[in-house]
Amino acid sequence: MEYFLELFLGGLTRGSIYALIALGYTMVYGIIELINFAHGEIYMIGAFTALIVSGVLTLLGWNALAIIVIASIVAVIYSAAYGYTIEKIAYKPLRNAPRLSALISAIGMSLFLQNYVLLAQTSDFLPFPELIPEFGFLEPYSNFIRSSELVIFAVTAAVMLGLTFLIKFTRIGKAMRATAQDKMMASLVGIDVNRVISVTFIVGSATAAIGGVLIASHIGQLNYYIGFIAGIKAFVAAVLGGIGSIPGAVLGSLVLGWTESFFTGYVSSDYEDVFAFLFLVLILIFRPAGILGRSETEKV
Amino acid sequence: MLELRNVKSYYGNIQALKGIDIRVSEGEIITLIGANGAGKSTTLMSVCGVVPPRSGEILFMGEPIHGMSPNQIVSLGISQVPEGRRIFPYLTVMENLDMGAFLRNDRVSIREDIDYIFELFPILAERRNQAGGTLSGGEQQMLAISRALMARPRLLLMDEPSLGLAPLVVKRIFEIIRKINEENNTTIFLVEQNANQALKVAHRGYVMETGRVTMSDTADNLLTNEGIRKAYLGM
């Protein structure tokens, strides 16, 4: 039972991180029907930014809480700026081009950013400081839950709630929903569609950066390549849940996280990715639009 | 109020408007009639900035608006009821109306306008919490008109509001068009294939053929014009 709980919580941790990344994929796809392959790199850049900021602040002798807060905020802002800029440089000029062009541009951006960080930093794994302190009250349960996991759950839940509020009730959220449903009509009611797209990239990048900082401090190391794997997994999760659907991205991420965790725990850890993708194939055979996806009907 | 001067627009390399001149005065209902593919919808799309003209001028209240983005043009007081209605399918009726008032901040008068619209179309009040995509064609058309009215436009562009609707609904839609024009003094630029109904409600009309305006006159004269009767009224 304890083993089960450990796997359950491990899966929840993975799922939470996937969800933070998958949100960006699914929101961007919902609005401009583009798979932003550079999204995983945003997550990686978020983690690196936090690493650098926390390194500097540690040298300056700041206390742990201040370091984690400031490092996270800087990482979020920096990554959001990256997301905004990537859209402006790599996707906006191709807005009316065939979809394949933007996709290739996205892959190019992803490779560019990976190699840029590789050159600027190093290809080695760098140790990431343990930003999250061990909580005393978790001591008795330390066999199956770490305090960083608890923080990951809490932060992810808070981000989801915030995002739900943003999309359901705010003006920009309504504009985002309208733009996702009919871009031309959105502009005809006076919505600045370009602004909505920018905001979508900013929000998606910010949540990915939060995921990056959390996972790096949970695992304790990072390199330039972490965005690629995590990005692909989160993309799978978004497709699994139904790309374009926000609750779908969260659900897909949790399902993927648990699948990986339980299969690794009970069957074999060598086949972790095999199970993840096998599961994706199975779901897509029976629900091509994903778990919560809407199947596109032709408009008449 | 609205003036198109020698407007030429293209879809890719295809020239859809070959230099058209149209003038709409304040308080008028103007209709643009013509066959499929004559360029009627493109004309409206050029006015609202979705298909910006490649040459020529479009003036609204004397100011050039060609080259502005669609959302800027909306903010000047031009709203559109687009072809095919384009209701936001997953937003509720209320949310669709809200989107129509996207650029307004005056909550109190927005509330009043919603009441006015529910008076105009009681069925929308009944369906206020239903998703737009679940409405019938006629209800969607009413919602599309209402959504455009929520912007309190000075100029209302309507593209084929009668398309695909039952005759009784069509009749109702045209009554509403007249009512909006008379009660709020809203200027209306109406594109229609249903030339008979359109000319009955309009003050003046333009006839379009393959990207050119071939005739313009008062609606009454066009209704009795022999060529028009043969070509567009089926008589």
Side-chain angles (χ1 to χ4, degrees):
Chain A
M1 186 62 208
E2 200 169 283
Y3 188 52
F4 174 85
L5 200 59
E6 188 188 326
L7 293 178
F8 179 85
L9 292 172
L12 192 59
T13 309
R14 281 165 182 260
S16 300
I17 298 297
Y18 291 155
L20 288 170
I21 310 174
L23 282 170
Y25 275 116
T26 217
M27 285 168 64
V28 164
Y29 185 86
I31 292 209
I32 54 174
E33 294 182 0
L34 166 78
I35 308 294
N36 177 16
F37 276 113
H39 190 60
E41 270 53 67
I42 297 283
Y43 155 91
M44 175 268 291
I45 285 172
F48 263 101
T49 311
L51 173 70
I52 292 165
V53 173
S54 59
V56 172
L57 294 183
T58 309
L59 282 180
L60 293 176
W62 290 44
N63 77 46
L65 186 68
I67 291 178
I68 184 169
V69 170
I70 292 173
S72 306
I73 291 174
V74 174
V76 163
I77 294 173
Y78 204 67
S79 301
Y82 261 94
Y84 174 85
T85 314
I86 289 171
E87 192 270 327
K88 286 278 180 276
I89 293 176
Y91 307 144
K92 193 168 175 232
L94 296 170
R95 191 78 51 75
N96 297 316
R99 251 202 254 173
L100 198 57
S101 313
L103 200 67
I104 292 167
S105 185
I107 294 171
M109 211 61 207
S110 164
L111 292 173
F112 169 79
L113 289 173
Q114 267 178 40
N115 287 287
Y116 158 70
V117 174
L118 170 64
L119 286 175
Q121 303 291 326
T122 154
S123 64
D124 300 333
F125 270 97
L126 301 172
F128 194 92
E130 249 187 66
L131 290 179
I132 301 162
E134 291 296 329
F135 301 136
F137 64 89
L138 278 181
E139 198 80 47
Y141 315 103
S142 60
N143 287 342
F144 45 84
I145 185 165
R146 288 170 49 195
S147 55
S148 56
E149 289 177 312
L150 192 68
V151 171
I152 288 176
F153 305 151
V155 171
T156 306
V159 168
M160 300 302 154
L161 282 177
L163 204 61
T164 307
F165 177 81
L166 176 86
I167 288 182
K168 277 226 141 64
F169 301 112
T170 65
R171 192 173 135 88
I172 185 75
K174 282 181 186 171
M176 284 165 89
R177 281 191 289 155
T179 306
Q181 291 173 32
D182 189 336
K183 225 184 299 170
M184 186 186 109
M185 193 59 228
S187 71
L188 287 179
V189 296
I191 293 169
D192 185 344
V193 171
N194 285 326
R195 203 173 141 247
V196 169
I197 293 171
S198 290
V199 171
T200 308
F201 272 86
I202 288 172
V203 173
S205 303
T207 58
I210 293 172
V213 177
L214 288 174
I215 197 69
S217 57
H218 176 63
I219 293 179
Q221 58 174 14
L222 78 173
N223 77 347
Y224 74 102
Y225 204 58
I226 58 167
F228 182 73
I229 306 289
I232 294 277
K233 290 282 182 64
F235 171 60
V236 167
V239 172
L240 200 62
I243 189 128
S245 156
I246 289 175
V250 178
L251 186 63
S253 300
L254 293 177
V255 167
L256 185 67
W258 279 320
T259 309
E260 285 184 357
S261 184
F262 285 124
F263 270 112
T264 337
Y266 287 123
V267 186
S268 161
S269 61
D270 295 340
Y271 289 92
E272 176 191 315
D273 294 351
V274 175
F275 290 127
F277 288 97
L278 195 66
F279 196 62
L280 173 77
V281 170
L282 280 178
I283 291 224
L284 291 187
I285 286 173
F286 295 106
R287 282 199 62 90
I291 303 171
L292 295 182
R294 302 183 180 112
S295 49
E296 281 291 316
T297 44
E298 276 298 314
K299 283 174 201 157
V300 184
Chain B
M1 179 179 223
L2 179 74
E3 200 175 345
L4 284 77
R5 288 186 191 155
N6 197 23
V7 169
K8 294 177 183 166
S9 292
Y10 292 74
Y11 277 112
N13 287 322
I14 301 155
Q15 185 169 16
L17 301 182
K18 299 170 179 166
I20 60 166
D21 296 274
I22 289 177
R23 208 173 40 77
V24 184
S25 305
E26 185 133 29
E28 267 189 319
I29 301 181
I30 289 292
T31 185
L32 184 59
I33 59 176
N36 249 342
K40 305 185 301 288
S41 296
T42 313
T43 306
L44 291 192
M45 287 304 170
S46 296
V47 171
C48 69
V50 172
V51 182
R54 213 174 276 184
S55 73
E57 289 186 303
I58 302 177
L59 306 176
F60 181 64
M61 314 298 285
E63 301 291 326
I65 59 167
H66 51 273
M68 286 187 182
S69 64
N71 56 300
Q72 285 172 313
I73 293 174
V74 175
S75 71
L76 298 174
I78 301 180
S79 287
Q80 182 164 178
V81 182
E83 185 176 9
R85 309 179 278 265
R86 287 185 171 254
I87 296 302
F88 298 114
Y90 306 113
L91 298 187
T92 65
V93 168
M94 271 311 259
E95 286 173 325
N96 267 283
L97 292 174
D98 260 353
M99 292 321 298
F102 187 76
L103 293 175
R104 292 172 57 188
N105 294 316
D106 41 345
R107 280 171 179 277
V108 179
S109 56
I110 289 176
R111 190 62 246 174
E112 284 169 15
D113 286 2
I114 288 181
D115 290 341
Y116 171 76
I117 274 155
F118 284 165
E119 216 173 282
L120 215 55
F121 301 112
I123 188 76
L124 293 184
E126 271 174 48
R127 304 220 186 284
R128 70 179 81 192
N129 293 321
Q130 216 168 305
T134 64
L135 302 185
S136 75
E139 289 161 359
Q140 285 193 359
Q141 191 62 59
M142 294 173 198
L143 181 55
I145 295 173
S146 306
R147 181 180 56 191
L149 288 178
M150 285 306 295
R152 287 214 174 163
R154 290 196 270 185
L155 173 64
L156 183 59
L157 310 174
M158 303 180 95
D159 196 349
E160 308 264 11
S162 75
L163 195 70
L165 301 183
L168 267 180
V169 183
V170 172
K171 195 165 161 258
R172 175 93 184 110
I173 297 285
F174 278 101
E175 281 169 17
I176 294 289
I177 293 173
R178 179 173 286 147
K179 191 171 157 148
I180 293 165
N181 173 254
E182 283 170 1
E183 285 183 3
N184 312 328
N185 197 34
T186 308
T187 312
I188 295 174
F189 188 173
L190 173 66
V191 159
E192 259 299 340
Q193 283 200 48
N194 190 339
N196 188 27
Q197 291 275 14
L199 287 171
K200 278 182 186 156
V201 74
H203 302 112
R204 288 192 302 123
Y206 289 82
V207 181
M208 261 188 110
E209 274 171 42
T210 57
R212 291 197 170 81
V213 171
T214 52
M215 201 185 293
S216 75
D217 210 332
T218 64
D220 292 340
N221 285 349
L222 288 175
L223 266 175
T224 52
N225 180 299
E226 201 54 41
I228 299 293
R229 287 170 68 90
K230 277 218 176 79
Y232 300 108
L233 304 177
M235 287 176 217

